[in-house]
Amino acid sequence: MGTPEFPDLGKHCTVDDCKQIDFLPFTCDRCNQVFCLEHRSYVKHRCPKADRKDVTVVICPLCAKGVRLNPDVDPNITWESHVNIECDPSNYDKVTKKRKCPVPGCREILTFSNTIKCKDCTWDHCLKHRFGPDHNCAGPKKLETTFPFVNFLNRSKKEVSKSSGAPATSSKWTASILNAASTVRASTEAGMAKLSNELNRALQIAKDGAGQSGSSVSGGGSGSGSRQREECPQCGAKFSDVTSLIEHVEKVHESSGNRAPVRKVTIDVCPKCSRGFRDPIALVEHVERDHGGTSTA
């Protein structure tokens, strides 16, 4: 059998009536015997272990699950093993009961091709009731508007208050979490209170400043008419109120960059008519000329 170059090439068929040499033999995967092309199937060589290739599955009437029977094991043993270990009667309704559209009065059975999941309520409906108005959609679930950490802190405090009468059994980790949460909440509340006080103080200062400026302007106008009281320290221009003077300085001097050094001017007031003079000599000449040379009131 074979050739000088390949002495092991080819094998004889195992069938007694055949014994044909085949250079490409077939090995049965059940009985592990060698056969030729004609006798390679189970039926042709009458394989004694061909039944092991068959797959037998029994549907359990309790859980509707398939139980495979092993040819090498007694079927009763396989069944008892399934009932004691794998059998779950609650699975029977899930397997056998067909899903239907949840809309009242609709008997449409939901299958793979006619099932639509609503994006808002996340319920499965048939094609006929796939839109929200058709199945009275309740809409998406409302999200929590409060800070979740505060809810967790409140819930933890309630649990601690309930268990305060019993012996303490909480772990150190839980206690540290509660302490940290309390510290964060206290610091947040203190910061918010401080910020509120600062805002109220700033508003009060602004109101007081506006009132004072208004009263000064109204008082000056009633006492001196259209008399110009404020003078620019840089260019000497005169204004009737402080607001006009500030606007003049911001527009003319600060915006143009021509800020000159502030000049300190001393003004002497006449004791008789309250007229101001920068030069003391001019004040003396004015008293002598207009008031008869006397400076007393």
Side-chain angles (χ1 to χ4, degrees):
M1 184 173 63
T3 61
E5 290 81 6
F6 302 97
D8 296 332
L9 183 61
K11 292 183 180 180
H12 289 281
C13 181
T14 309
V15 178
D16 295 337
D17 298 338
C18 181
K19 296 295 182 180
Q20 179 183 358
I21 184 173
D22 197 329
F23 292 99
L24 296 173
F26 296 89
T27 303
C28 180
D29 57 351
R30 308 310 300 170
C31 62
N32 296 324
Q33 297 295 326
V34 178
F35 300 96
C36 62
L37 178 62
E38 183 181 357
H39 299 97
R40 70 183 187 278
S41 63
Y42 300 141
V43 178
K44 289 295 183 178
H45 68 266
R46 299 177 181 178
C47 183
K49 299 181 179 180
D51 57 345
R52 297 183 179 180
K53 192 67 176 178
D54 298 336
V55 177
T56 303
V57 178
V58 179
I59 303 300
C60 177
L62 301 177
C63 63
K65 185 178 180 180
V67 181
R68 181 176 179 179
L69 301 180
N70 192 352
D72 297 333
V73 181
D74 188 1
N76 296 326
I77 298 177
T78 303
W79 179 255
E80 290 179 0
S81 176
H82 165 72
V83 172
N84 296 330
I85 299 176
E86 301 176 353
C87 187
D88 185 10
S90 63
N91 189 48
Y92 184 82
D93 293 337
K94 297 180 182 179
V95 177
T96 59
K97 187 177 181 180
K98 297 181 179 179
R99 296 190 307 157
K100 294 183 179 181
C101 183
V103 176
C106 182
R107 298 182 179 181
E108 185 72 19
I109 297 176
L110 298 180
T111 60
F112 176 77
S113 59
N114 70 339
T115 303
I116 300 295
K117 183 183 289 295
C118 180
K119 295 182 179 180
D120 294 331
C121 61
T122 66
W123 279 61
D124 292 335
H125 299 85
C126 62
L127 296 176
K128 183 179 179 181
H129 301 98
R130 63 184 181 274
F131 297 111
D134 297 333
H135 61 263
N136 296 328
C137 183
K141 296 181 180 179
K142 295 182 179 180
L143 300 177
E144 294 183 359
T145 57
T146 56
F147 191 52
F149 187 74
V150 176
N151 294 334
F152 170 75
L153 178 60
N154 296 332
R155 186 170 62 253
S156 301
K157 287 185 176 180
K158 291 181 180 179
E159 293 177 356
V160 171
S161 61
K162 289 181 180 179
S163 61
S164 59
T169 57
S170 58
S171 60
K172 295 182 178 180
W173 183 83
T174 306
S176 62
I177 287 294
L178 293 177
N179 294 335
S182 302
T183 304
V184 171
R185 184 175 183 180
S187 61
T188 304
E189 293 177 353
M192 293 298 295
K194 183 177 180 180
L195 179 61
S196 178
N197 294 334
E198 292 293 337
L199 290 176
N200 295 332
R201 182 180 178 184
L203 291 174
Q204 187 65 30
I205 292 175
K207 291 181 180 178
D208 296 341
Q212 292 177 1
S213 62
S215 61
S216 62
V217 171
S218 60
S222 61
S224 59
S226 60
R227 183 180 179 183
Q228 295 180 348
R229 299 179 57 190
E230 306 298 335
E231 182 178 357
C232 177
Q234 299 186 22
C235 62
K238 296 182 179 180
F239 300 92
S240 59
D241 54 3
V242 180
T243 305
S244 302
L245 174 61
I246 293 175
E247 293 178 355
H248 164 74
V249 173
E250 291 179 351
K251 292 180 180 179
V252 177
H253 300 289
E254 292 187 356
S255 61
S256 61
N258 299 326
R259 297 186 62 181
V262 179
R263 297 178 298 173
K264 296 183 179 179
V265 180
T266 303
I267 299 177
D268 297 326
V269 181
C270 176
K272 300 285 288 182
C273 62
S274 300
R275 183 178 178 182
F277 296 89
R278 297 184 181 180
D279 190 3
I281 299 176
L283 173 60
V284 173
E285 292 177 354
H286 161 72
V287 171
E288 292 176 353
R289 182 179 62 253
D290 296 339
H291 301 290
T294 60
S295 60
T296 58

